[in-house]
Amino acid sequence: MIHQKNNLRITYIGFIMALFLTSCNNNEKRPEFGNAVADYEVLTVSPKNIGLYREFPVTIEGTENIEIYPKIEGFIEKVLVDEGEYVQKGQALFLLNAPEYEQELLSSKAAISSAKADVSSAEVNVEKAKPLIEREIISKFELTSAENALTAAKAALEQAQANYSNAQTNFGYTKITAPVSGYIGSLPYKLGSLVNSNISEPLTTVSNIKQVYAYFSINEKTYLEFTKEGVLSNMNEVSLLLPDYTSFDQKGKIQTVSGQVDEETGSFNVRAIFDNPDNLLRTGNSATIQLPRTIEGAYLIPQSATYEIQGGVYVYLVNEQSQVQSTKITVTSTNSGQAYIVTDGLKDGDQVVLEGISGLSSGKEIKPVQVKESDITALQQITEKVTSTNL
């Protein structure tokens, strides 16, 4: 009986030891799976001359944008145009009812007729006096008086003519015409409104938009950068992005930069000019100007391939032993927000790890899987705003 129990005990112990050995064998194999080298997509970079745009919001104005004010006081009798209508230079826009100017015109015209009659009478008196002087019927004093009266009559005629000319001018102000060809703006005053030269709003605005100005502002730092790089040269073409994100089909040029800094905003005002043959752009439109800039010998990588530590930007590069190494880089953002332009920290032929970088650390071995730049979505999304030329 005791012999049977010993056999059972030995069998039980053997079973436990077998389980333990099996467990140990399994534990020894697990690290083999944990040490397997994983695949990581990488991009082999090459230097490029990268042209990109710096964008600024702009306000559009016609090259001639003239506010129309009345020069005399009167009631609006007729509005001869409508908002948005195209008018030619000299075309009538408004008629004002100002009876006093018409009366002044008639009165001054009558005064001319009276003055002409006085001149005629004075001339007759001079002619009558001359023969009487020769026959010594009258004295020379009377002839001199007649000649003085003629001179005074002629002066009165000239004054009457000047008054008539002035009255014509004033009466002409009752008809308000377009000073330039262009488009009519808003019409805040209606028929019957009493207006004068001191009204708070103009009667309307006439905008000549065959060419338009694009106004924008840049800060002092940007001004210095642009000046060094020649971005603000009027030799450079600039582009315009419309509110629907389509490009305006005409290129423009920088025309002027303000001569001093605005003390309130600390910025420079810049004006560009664009041809507008189809009258697509109107005064008051908003748009975005795109200023070209070239960065030479730079590299383009997706922003997702980077990470930040204490304000620095880093990537993982793959060395000859297929190990990754953290490397600090200097970057410039692109307009898309999906990619970086690297200006320092990379060299031709470096392999940049594109994905899964949160699980990496320097010295870790990976299996690089090459990816073409043309297959990276983040880089494709900026092709409309960044153009690259291989060195």
Side-chain angles (χ1 to χ4, degrees), residues 332-356:
T332 296
S333 297
T334 61
N335 295 327
S336 71
Q338 301 292 318
Y340 277 142
I341 297 170
V342 182
T343 56
D344 189 37
L346 295 182
K347 63 181 184 299
D348 189 12
D350 278 348
Q351 298 181 77
V352 178
V353 181
L354 297 177
E355 60 177 16

Side-chain angles (χ1 to χ4, degrees), residues 210-359:
K210 290 301 180 184
Q211 287 186 311
V212 295
Y213 292 136
Y215 291 95
F216 63 101
S217 298
I218 57 176
N219 60 35
E220 294 180 67
K221 180 181 177 182
T222 303
Y223 171 76
L224 292 174
E225 290 177 0
F226 283 0
T227 301
K228 293 175 182 177
E229 296 171 5
V231 174
L232 298 177
S233 169
N234 56 16
M235 300 300 292
N236 294 333
E237 288 189 336
V238 295
S239 303
L240 206 61
L241 193 64
L242 302 178
D244 62 355
Y245 301 105
T246 60
S247 294
F248 185 51
D249 60 3
Q250 300 289 322
K251 298 293 185 181
K253 291 186 180 296
I254 299 296
Q255 197 171 49
T256 63
V257 180
S258 60
Q260 59 186 23
V261 180
D262 188 311
E263 293 182 358
E264 294 184 1
T265 63
S267 62
F268 288 86
N269 294 319
V270 187
R271 185 181 76 198
I273 189 169
F274 290 83
D275 289 332
N276 188 34
D278 298 325
N279 299 322
L280 178 63
L281 300 177
R282 300 292 181 94
T283 295
N285 278 157
S286 60
T288 301
I289 197 167
Q290 298 177 319
L291 307 182
R293 180 189 181 198
T294 300
I295 300 178
E296 298 182 353
Y299 303 86
L300 198 61
I301 64 171
Q303 190 169 329
S304 59
T306 67
Y307 65 97
E308 294 187 17
I309 299 178
Q310 297 180 344
V313 180
Y314 294 79
V315 293
Y316 281 107
L317 302 182
V318 184
N319 61 22
E320 295 178 355
Q321 291 75 39
S322 296
Q323 295 173 336
V324 298
Q325 186 67 43
S326 177
T327 302
K328 187 175 182 179
I329 58 175
T330 303
V331 300
T332 296
S333 297
T334 61
N335 295 327
S336 71
Q338 301 292 318
Y340 277 142
I341 297 170
V342 182
T343 56
D344 189 37
L346 295 182
K347 63 181 184 299
D348 189 12
D350 278 348
Q351 298 181 77
V352 178
V353 181
L354 297 177
E355 60 177 16
I357 61 175
S358 60

Side-chain angles (χ1 to χ4, degrees), residues 162-176:
N163 292 340
Y164 178 71
S165 178
N166 187 57
Q168 277 185 313
T169 300
N170 288 336
F171 183 72
Y173 292 149
T174 62
K175 180 182 179 181
I176 300 173

Side-chain angles (χ1 to χ4, degrees), residues 25-35:
N25 290 334
N26 288 338
N27 288 337
E28 289 174 358
K29 292 179 180 179
R30 283 176 186 169
E32 293 180 8
F33 292 100
N35 291 332

